[in-house]
Amino acid sequence: MTVADFQLGPDLSGKRIVVAMSGGVDSSVVAALAAKSGAETIGITLQLYDHGEATGRAGSCCAGRDIRDARAVCDRLGIAHYVHDHESAFRETVIDQFADEYVAGRTPIPCVRCNMGPKFTDLFALARDLGADCLATGHYVRRVEGVAGAELHRAADPARDQSYFLFATTQDQLDFLRFPLGGLPKPRVRELAADLGLGVAAKPDSQDICFVPDGDYASLVKKLRPEAGAGGDIVDLGGRKLGEHRGLIHFTIGQRRGLEIGGSPEPLYVVRLDPSRGEVVVGPRSALAVASARLSEINRIGPTNGALSVKVRSLAKPVPARLAGDRVFFDSPEYGVSPGQAAVFYAGDRVLGGGWIEETQAAEDALAA
């Protein structure tokens, strides 16, 4: 049996751990490890949405079936389980903003907004009200005690690392949070769930956008914001019409497939989305090269005044860059930098913070300036 380090000292008797439980295998194993540690353990599940078929679909999160799974795990472990209805707050801070971002021609990351709002902010308040010594989650990141306090580091398993989605974690939150799975590979977590007899051991992982019942986010956006379904022109960098599209919500920066235009001597990519004109602007791959990006809501949980590596998409590799004010400058042109996504700062495995990408400067423009 793996012994988890909740970083609360050698003796956890008399300690109280609150576990954020989504109903999946990861948070269920965290709850089991906490209960095995000798600490009093309490599971909390936030009911975030109730979109009909999503509540019964395997792989959803924080809906009907998942709440039942979390409760069943807590019953098996003999620990308390509480469910709190945060559906209204989740709709306002995550779902509505998700739709608004797409209408504005941006590519949102709802998982980060969820962590910034209902999950960490609201769960923190609940955990502290319960007198908890920490709030533990099933995220695959590591919390390391550094010289100046708690630090956020990437997971030991690169394939499971979720640090990109936690860039907005504040120092105060990091002091209270614990991530006991950060040093484990996912197969080992499933083995633990099976060894413990947890019914969720083979449950599929939740999808990236948990509140979209069938994965068709465009339909959800059009339902919430009907104007998002308006079509328009596909134009080249000079404004020449090349074709038509059926809504900006079907496109992201760097996309090549789905343009349905021909006659170009070289492949064309989505370079920019212009919601004011309803246009999808396309160009050659070279037009995607970005020299710098302006950021908003910058969060720092480490020193950012030196050499950094920056990750601009969840699946991108960190690249060398530097931060000056609210702008990040890439050492070499970076591709696929999209407003609405995040630029996350690293020093090796340590996460130093990050910010939301608001606008970019093309490498060609930077050379001409």
Side-chain angles (χ1 to χ4, degrees):
M1 176 68 187
T2 296
V3 177
D5 182 8
F6 286 89
Q7 299 173 310
L8 294 174
D11 184 8
L12 270 63
S13 60
K15 301 290 187 180
R16 179 175 293 167
I17 299 174
V18 167
V19 181
M21 299 188 69
S22 66
V25 62
D26 297 325
S27 59
S28 296
V29 169
V30 170
L33 294 174
K36 291 277 187 182
S37 73
E40 179 187 359
T41 303
I42 300 172
I44 295 183
T45 301
L46 298 179
Q47 180 176 323
L48 300 181
Y49 65 96
D50 187 10
H51 285 180
E53 66 215 70
T55 63
R57 177 177 55 82
S60 59
C61 170
C62 306
R65 172 175 170 177
D66 303 284
I67 292 172
R68 293 193 295 272
D69 287 344
R71 181 176 292 117
V73 168
C74 290
D75 287 345
R76 179 170 183 82
L77 297 174
I79 64 175
H81 179 244
Y82 301 114
V83 178
H84 290 264
D85 184 358
H86 279 59
E87 187 174 349
S88 296
F90 184 72
R91 172 174 285 277
E92 293 172 3
T93 60
V94 179
I95 299 179
D96 284 348
Q97 186 177 53
F98 174 80
D100 290 339
E101 287 280 88
Y102 268 109
V103 171
R106 297 159 61 88
T107 306
I109 318 174
C111 294
V112 177
R113 290 295 180 187
C114 183
N115 289 330
M116 291 173 65
K119 282 190 178 174
F120 284 178
T121 303
D122 298 341
L123 275 173
F124 263 66
L126 291 169
R128 286 191 163 127
D129 286 346
L130 289 169
D133 292 283
C134 72
L135 172 65
T137 82
H139 288 100
Y140 285 85
V141 291
R142 290 180 296 132
R143 180 186 181 275
V144 176
E145 290 287 358
V147 176
E151 300 174 356
L152 185 64
H153 287 240
R154 285 191 277 197
D157 182 354
R160 299 298 305 178
D161 176 57
Q162 294 175 302
S163 61
Y164 179 85
F165 300 100
L166 297 180
F167 80 86
T169 304
T170 67
Q171 189 62 53
D172 180 58
Q173 291 171 341
L174 191 55
D175 290 340
F176 193 55
L177 281 165
R178 299 295 187 273
F179 308 107
L181 302 187
L184 299 176
K186 183 58 176 269
R188 177 56 183 151
V189 173
R190 290 201 180 276
E191 288 176 5
L192 287 172
D195 292 344
L196 292 162
L198 302 182
V200 296
K203 186 175 181 178
D205 292 334
S206 60
Q207 64 179 51
D208 288 342
I209 305 176
C210 65
F211 54 86
V212 181
D214 56 3
D216 185 1
Y217 70 88
S219 293
L220 174 64
V221 173
K222 285 190 288 186
K223 179 180 178 181
L224 296 173
R225 303 289 185 269
E227 67 274 20
D233 293 337
I234 300 175
V235 301
D236 63 17
L237 294 172
R240 182 171 63 93
K241 180 177 177 178
L242 302 179
E244 296 181 351
H245 66 82
R246 55 190 180 90
L248 297 181
I249 56 174
H250 298 286
F251 300 92
T252 58
I253 304 300
Q255 181 176 331
R256 180 181 172 187
R257 294 182 178 179
L259 291 173
E260 298 178 356
I261 52 178
S264 174
E266 59 182 325
L268 295 176
Y269 300 81
V270 176
V271 175
R272 187 172 65 255
L273 300 175
D274 187 342
S276 64
R277 294 176 175 271
E279 292 178 342
V280 174
V281 182
V282 300
R285 187 175 185 276
S286 60
L288 290 171
V290 166
S292 68
R294 181 174 65 83
L295 310 180
S296 67
E297 300 181 62
I298 295 176
N299 178 57
R300 292 177 173 84
I301 48 175
T304 59
N305 54 355
L308 308 168
S309 58
V310 176
K311 192 173 184 178
V312 296
R313 298 178 308 283
S314 62
L315 297 180
K317 292 182 178 180
V319 296
R322 61 184 175 86
L323 185 67
D326 64 352
R327 297 196 73 90
V328 59
F329 294 87
F330 303 103
D331 287 9
S332 300
E334 179 67 347
Y335 292 80
V337 187
S338 176
Q341 296 283 288
V344 180
F345 319 138
Y346 295 86
D349 281 340
R350 184 181 176 185
V351 184
L352 304 178
W356 296 100
I357 300 169
E358 293 295 331
E359 61 183 16
T360 61
Q361 181 185 33
E364 294 176 348
D365 294 343
L367 290 173

